[in-house]
Amino acid sequence: MSLAIQHAQAEQQHAIDADAPLFVQACPGAGKTHVIVSRHLQRPSGALRGGRALVSFTRTARDQMKARCITEGHPELAQFPHYIGTLDGFIWQFLVSPYLTLPQPPQLLESWAQLAKAEVKLGTRAVPLSAFTFTLDPDALREDVDKPGEKSSATRTMSDSPYPWARWKKAVLECRDLWHERGYFTGHEARLAALGALRTDPRRMAVPLCSRFTEVIVDEAQDCSITDLAILDILRVHGIPLVIVADPDQAIYGWNQADPARLLNMRNTLGNRTTLTGNRRSAPPICALATTLRTGNRPPDISVVRTSGPAVHLVPTKFGKAGKTTHSRTGQDLVELVVELAERHHESDITNPSVLVLARKHALLPPALRRAEPDSNTITRLARAHQCLQAGTTKATELDQACQQAEQVLLGYWYPDQTGSITRICRTVGLSPAVLRRHAYAFLLELPMPSAAWASEVNAHLKAWWRPSGAAPGGGKGLLRSKIASIGQQAPQHPTTRLTTVHQAKGDEADAVCVLLPDDDLITRWHTGNATTAEEQEELRVLYVAVTRARRLLILSVLEGSIAALQDFLNRYQVPTHMCH
């Protein structure tokens, strides 16, 4: 066993054994999930009813932790009194829902888009409530509403109306409050309620948690918003032993009010600290490059599973319009070149190396791959759901969201006067959610490929489709009338190649990663160290997350004029590079 592996294992064991409160700073590929679950498996509570909470940000991470408990022969560690779930679920289950007194059962939504007819109306104009983002100042316990993006359909609708933004914002809050009074919460409202209650009577909420959990482990804590950190800090002050696992250099959700400075302040309050520097993902050249993007003067992380790897490839690139990206000297399509390089440098036991092509912004991707507007019209959302079902590589969470969109369309036609969530409409009309899900899946599957005349084709299927007892379609109510916006094609140019943004790829990895870098100013800030604003510093963290997705080969796609200075900079830091002429 190499010294690098021994050192990484010793670091992991220390993180498993150390007492809470504890801050674990983990590099990319450090095996955080292994450490968290091993801590859970190896440190059973001595108390009769004492449990442990393992809190993540994604359902995928939650499912992985539950699955490992089961495969290790301890399914009881995934059950009461333990908790394995998301941060949204933890806040809702332990800090909000037990203290609500509402006339009907409250419901936590992923977004307001899950509600039928949740629209903000002013005059003759209507904008989906899901088009707006709510923010919260946890210090003053004051919320606000952000304007939608300048190019969004919501902004176009509001611009065409006679009402100023201040009036629209008032209408947004009034609309949200009406749904809130009916028992609907999103993560924002749940956090607002939790923080308000904790500030009012913290002991009432902390005592039940203290009696149930010996510690609460929060993974990927760099993704916490300032409100999340405020909630966790109150729990810490009132006796909840916290284990915070994070990499502040991967904090890339400033738009969601994540704040690395507040995270570091919390680190200073926890007392015990440990680090994980053994990178079980990336080759040494990638680790060496990544350290040039980090804060402080820490040495490169130790590549545990690879002793060597190909040099970082630099590709002089022409970034054309409509996402057309080519090698600036040969004119070859960039993705084709990246696939060729990945196959040339793949490891002997890998026949089809996986490839990620990452952009910092959706605008750099081909139009077919750009993010859909959250406030798109119903027919466009249904077309994307159909596309998702037909892809064949859809994740379970994406398939669930696609079926929910079809369910909303079916319910909107069958029961045009019903409003609210799918769950509540089903309860009101006496329809089995399982029956609805089966028909939604089949309905999506039966639809033809989207086309210019798709609305009439979908409507014909709606009229001919099975109807539950009690359904009462009302003429043209619930039928689709709009045109489809661009939904693109998700099929990759190569079966193991994916083009996406850095934020969407967070948590992923691939044998070869190509990062699109069309911004001369960003590269200048990188090699001069002159990133002064919070936005500029986050841009470098986004780049850090991008390059650390690579296992073996890293390719940087750079404008011709910046490539020489970047190569000189990397060579000074002893990062091996190769120019793709």
Side-chain angles (χ1 to χ4, degrees), residues 105 174 196 199 217 256 440 457 556 581:
E174 290 171 348
R199 293 261 174 86
I217 305 176
N256 197 34
E457 294 174 328
L556 300 181
H581 295 289

Side-chain angles (χ1 to χ4, degrees), residues 170-190:
K170 183 174 183 292
V172 169
L173 290 168
E174 290 171 348
C175 177
R176 190 281 310 273
D177 290 345
L178 285 174
W179 287 106
H180 189 37
E181 289 170 5
R182 296 175 61 184
Y184 293 110
F185 293 70
T186 69
H188 169 80
E189 287 75 33

Side-chain angles (χ1 to χ4, degrees), residues 83 85-94 108:
Y83 172 85
T86 64
L87 182 59
D88 277 359
F90 180 85
I91 291 172
W92 177 253
Q93 183 171 336
F94 299 108
L108 179 65

Side-chain angles (χ1 to χ4, degrees), residues 22 50 114 183 406 540:
L22 174 67
Q114 290 182 261
L540 293 180

Side-chain angles (χ1 to χ4, degrees), residues 306-519:
R306 292 173 175 82
T307 58
S308 64
V312 175
H313 282 48
L314 305 178
V315 179
T317 304
K318 179 180 179 181
F319 297 91
K321 295 181 179 179
K324 180 64 175 176
T325 307
T326 58
H327 188 293
S328 63
R329 299 177 185 178
T330 66
Q332 182 180 10
D333 179 81
L334 180 70
V335 175
E336 293 179 359
L337 174 61
V338 168
V339 171
E340 289 179 7
L341 292 173
E343 292 175 343
R344 187 183 308 165
H345 292 284
H346 72 83
E347 294 173 302
S348 58
D349 59 339
I350 298 176
T351 54
N352 292 305
S354 56
V355 177
L356 270 176
V357 180
L358 299 178
R360 290 190 302 111
K361 299 178 180 179
H362 284 89
L364 297 176
L365 297 173
L369 297 170
R370 292 178 190 170
R371 178 178 55 190
E373 286 185 14
D375 57 322
S376 305
N377 58 37
T378 301
I379 192 170
T380 300
R381 294 198 300 268
L382 185 66
R384 291 183 181 123
H386 177 267
Q387 180 186 67
C388 177
L389 191 65
Q390 298 293 329
T393 57
T394 304
K395 297 178 181 178
T397 54
E398 296 169 339
L399 181 60
D400 180 63
Q401 292 169 357
C403 286
Q404 286 181 19
Q405 186 59 52
E407 288 171 351
Q408 286 187 335
V409 170
L410 290 173
L411 290 176
Y413 178 66
W414 292 339
Y415 309 102
D417 296 326
Q418 293 292 331
T419 60
S421 67
I422 293 169
T423 301
R424 197 167 288 179
I425 292 175
C426 284
R427 186 185 304 124
T428 300
V429 302
L431 177 63
S432 164
V435 170
L436 176 62
R437 173 54 56 96
R438 288 197 298 271
H439 279 278
Y441 183 87
F443 179 76
L444 267 184
L445 203 60
E446 287 291 324
L447 290 177
M449 294 300 294
S451 64
W454 205 53
S456 61
E457 294 174 328
V458 172
N459 290 338
H461 275 72
L462 274 173
K463 293 175 182 178
W465 200 258
W466 170 88
R467 299 176 190 174
S469 175
K477 291 182 179 180
L479 296 179
L480 306 185
R481 306 183 187 283
S482 303
K483 294 182 179 180
I484 301 175
S486 174
I487 60 171
Q489 298 295 321
Q490 297 297 324
Q493 300 180 40
H494 188 273
T496 57
T497 301
R498 189 158 69 99
L499 282 71
T500 186
T501 63
V502 180
H503 288 82
Q504 290 178 323
K506 193 172 184 292
D508 287 352
E509 57 185 65
D511 298 307
V513 170
C514 175
V515 184
L516 306 180
L517 290 171
D519 189 343

